[in-house]
Amino acid sequence: MAKNTLSFVCQNCGAAYNRWQGKCESCGEWNTLAEEDTSGSVPVSIRSKRKGRTFALESLAGKSPDAPRFSSGMAELDRVTGGGFVRGSVLLVGGDPGIGKSTLLTQATSLMARAGHRIVYISGEEAIAQVRLRAERLGLSDAPVQLAAETSVEDIVSTLSEGAVPRLIVIDSIQTMWTDTVESAPGTVTQVRASAQALIRFAKKTGAAIILVGHVTKDGQIAGPRVVEHMVDAVLSFEGEGSQQFRILRAVKNRFGPTDEIGVFEMTGLGLREVTNPSELFLSERDLGTPGTAVFAGIEGTRPVLVELQALVAPTSLGTPRRAVVGWDPSRLSMVLAVLEAHCGVKLSGHDVYLNVAGGLRIHEPAADLAAAAALVSSLVNAQLPTDAVYFGEISLSGVVRPVAQTPARLKEAAKLGFQRAMLPESARGETGGDAGLSLNAVNSLTTLVAEIAARGSRRGESNAPAEKNATPARFRRGEG
Ligand code: TYD
Ligand code: MG
């Protein structure tokens, strides 16, 4: 009797079950299980007859040449890939629909094709006419990119096996591809995995680089092909707030280069423009001198990036106050709020708290704790922070401000952009060599920072709003609601 190979596969994480259930126990998602044939392409009868061949085992020592790379023609893209595309490598580019993945790849492929490489762009989502229209809008119609609207992996592989090996192949998107070797419908995990496998095999065999475009679900995971993330050499994520024109390309995984390196772009009417100095961009529309804003001196990959954190703390009308955060880790915010309450006597349980990272950047560093705390307290007491100061430092659960990496690079960037002061962890002061060009204010603990900002608030209260004179410091009393 033939073995039944149908099983239920979670479309989010790829876990397989032999019966249907509402919730995937592996990733916790609901209603993601779909029936698929998971038998694979090799029949059992053949598999069992195949005799293993022997191969030579190598030693760990020995020289391997550097991976041969070629430039994409866009400096920001090269930065993220670690210096250009590696031959025979496969990249996955993920991002929300409409973020600009096709635009970015149309621009990059056109530049490479103009430089004389054979570049193939396979669109599984858009008709040729649509791709042409975009190229026309970008002023790239004359670029010798080879274009096709195809979705069958077998057809694509046989077509590309003819003639010169392409330098780069773009597959837009992997979810639209399908292969005959498996039975499932296009877009299912099994199809996506099998299609990606076939394309990866082609890349490794011929030395052509392949870029797979992948869609992203609402919670930021690359949909379906999370399984693909493990198979490819690099995963790049294209991020940005829909309403903002800034776009950030981030390396999430890279077998041939550093991760956490970012490339910054601006979406214009004529496509994506590379932004070589992101700090200037993120600070360009600063609300100078508004309470609740602090400038964070951050590091993205190897590059320092200055960005404004904006906080709003307002009395709540709800039983459970709101905590909303854009561009930063919500659990990190909860931690900073808890430390403020527990160690500094700042009572926030009666307040809604909003925190926003300006410009659509997403910060992953704990070094932003100090800037976030400063912005929060500044908003609470309605006291403006010094406009010429940057903040960085990690806050521990005991309220101590801890040192962070790469202090000199952060200070240099701040000085370059005309900042005069840096609020930083005490121990970081020694690392700067004393010639940072900024005045350095060490902040030992969060209590010190809160007291300083509160003092600014009360000073301001005395001169401008006598009625509020006693209100501000009183908010710091423990237990006051
Ligand atoms: P697109 O590259 O199609 O996104 P994706 O492939 O990630 O789904 O980009 C779509 C958006 O970009 C669309 O809303 C229009 C905008 N856009 C511009 O603002 N300027 C341009 O020059 C182009 C080509 C697109
Ligand atoms: Mg697209």
Side-chain angles (χ1 to χ4, degrees):
M1 203 181 82
K3 199 171 152 231
N4 183 10
T5 53
L6 282 181
S7 56
F8 295 87
V9 180
C10 172
Q11 303 300 303
N12 184 52
C13 70
Y17 302 88
N18 49 19
R19 63 181 175 81
W20 190 86
Q21 55 196 55
K23 185 182 178 185
C24 170
E25 274 154 22
S26 169
C27 66
E29 286 291 309
W30 287 89
N31 286 330
T32 53
L33 263 56
E35 193 169 0
E36 290 187 20
D37 184 348
T38 51
S39 61
S41 52
V42 187
V44 179
S45 54
I46 299 179
R47 252 189 272 157
S48 53
K49 276 185 199 150
R50 188 177 169 277
K51 202 161 173 289
R53 71 180 171 88
T54 55
F55 52 86
L57 297 163
E58 309 266 346
S59 75
L60 210 50
K63 282 227 156 38
S64 297
D66 268 354
R69 293 176 183 270
F70 57 96
S71 166
S72 65
M74 295 177 96
E76 291 293 295
L77 183 53
D78 284 351
R79 175 200 301 282
V80 180
T81 52
F85 300 116
V86 174
R87 280 200 207 166
S89 70
V90 180
L91 280 86
L92 179 66
V93 176
D96 289 327
I99 201 80
K101 300 181 293 296
S102 305
T103 306
L104 175 72
L105 294 174
T106 307
Q107 287 182 246
T109 48
S110 300
L111 291 174
M112 283 182 274
R114 275 185 186 159
H117 300 301
R118 183 185 177 203
I119 309 290
V120 180
Y121 194 109
I122 310 274
S123 175
E125 286 184 348
E126 293 167 300
I128 300 245
Q130 278 172 291
V131 182
R132 283 199 181 129
L133 209 63
R134 183 185 293 114
E136 199 175 311
R137 179 172 174 184
L138 299 169
L140 298 167
S141 296
D142 61 322
V145 175
Q146 300 180 332
L147 192 61
E150 284 297 332
T151 54
S152 159
V153 172
E154 278 75 29
D155 295 355
I156 293 170
V157 167
S158 7
T159 308
L160 297 182
S161 303
E162 283 170 11
V165 176
R167 192 39 71 82
L168 178 77
I169 304 156
V170 174
I171 304 286
D172 188 1
S173 65
I174 185 65
Q175 279 100 343
T176 55
M177 296 295 136
W178 62 280
T179 158
D180 306 331
T181 55
V182 292
E183 302 261 310
S184 314
T188 56
V189 172
T190 312
Q191 269 293 357
V192 166
R193 182 164 37 199
S195 302
Q197 247 156 14
L199 290 164
I200 291 168
R201 220 175 303 127
F202 179 77
K204 302 294 170 205
K205 199 176 81 190
T206 59
I210 297 188
I211 297 180
L212 305 174
V213 174
H215 291 295
V216 159
T217 52
K218 56 184 186 312
D219 56 351
Q221 303 290 3
I222 294 180
R226 276 204 67 182
V227 278
V228 178
E229 288 186 20
H230 307 291
M231 294 154 54
V232 296
D233 298 306
V235 179
L236 311 184
S237 142
F238 206 32
E239 309 166 350
E241 291 298 317
S243 53
Q244 298 264 4
Q245 69 272 41
F246 314 126
R247 299 283 183 269
I248 287 134
L249 187 67
R250 185 187 296 277
V252 182
K253 157 182 172 177
N254 196 349
R255 285 184 187 152
F256 299 110
T259 50
D260 281 333
E261 197 69 83
I262 64 165
V264 184
F265 299 87
E266 185 181 358
M267 182 62 95
T268 69
L270 293 170
L272 290 158
R273 189 178 70 80
E274 297 182 64
V275 176
T276 40
N277 191 340
S279 301
E280 269 172 21
L281 183 86
F282 292 131
L283 296 178
S284 63
E285 282 159 34
R286 250 177 97 197
D287 302 336
L288 270 178
T290 317
T293 64
V295 176
F296 166 52
I299 297 280
E300 290 291 341
T302 54
R303 181 160 56 167
V305 174
L306 264 50
V307 55
E308 187 183 83
L309 299 192
Q310 304 164 341
L312 178 64
V313 179
T316 184
S317 52
L318 306 168
T320 315
R322 270 187 71 88
R323 306 283 183 245
V325 47
V326 177
W328 202 41
D329 183 2
S331 53
R332 212 69 222 167
L333 173 67
S334 308
M335 200 205 82
V336 170
L337 293 177
V339 175
L340 280 171
E341 287 220 9
H343 296 291
C344 312
V346 180
K347 194 97 177 78
L348 289 156
S349 53
H351 290 81
D352 288 336
V353 173
Y354 303 90
L355 189 78
N356 178 39
V357 178
L361 189 70
R362 201 166 286 279
I363 299 177
H364 299 275
E365 274 190 291
D369 291 353
L370 191 65
L376 290 166
V377 177
S378 153
S379 173
L380 177 71
V381 304
N382 199 23
Q384 146 193 352
L385 297 172
T387 52
D388 60 352
V390 295
Y391 292 78
F392 61 89
E394 182 180 343
I395 294 171
S396 74
L397 285 177
S398 58
V400 174
V401 180
R402 294 166 45 84
V404 294
Q406 307 202 44
T407 300
R410 296 175 202 264
L411 295 175
K412 212 169 128 203
E413 179 79 359
K416 201 172 94 190
L417 286 158
F419 286 86
Q420 310 279 324
R421 279 188 265 183
M423 314 292 182
L424 75 181
E426 170 75 68
S427 50
R429 255 202 315 197
E431 285 177 41
T432 60
D435 56 345
L438 297 172
S439 87
L440 306 176
N441 299 21
V443 185
N444 297 324
S445 73
L446 201 50
T447 324
T448 329
L449 179 85
V450 170
E452 240 168 61
I453 301 173
R456 293 180 75 89
S458 52
R459 271 206 302 281
R460 187 180 158 277
E462 276 158 25
S463 56
N464 299 345
E468 277 185 24
K469 194 171 167 181
N470 296 321
T472 308
R475 289 201 194 140
F476 292 100
R477 248 181 262 134
R478 220 178 258 251
E480 202 239 349

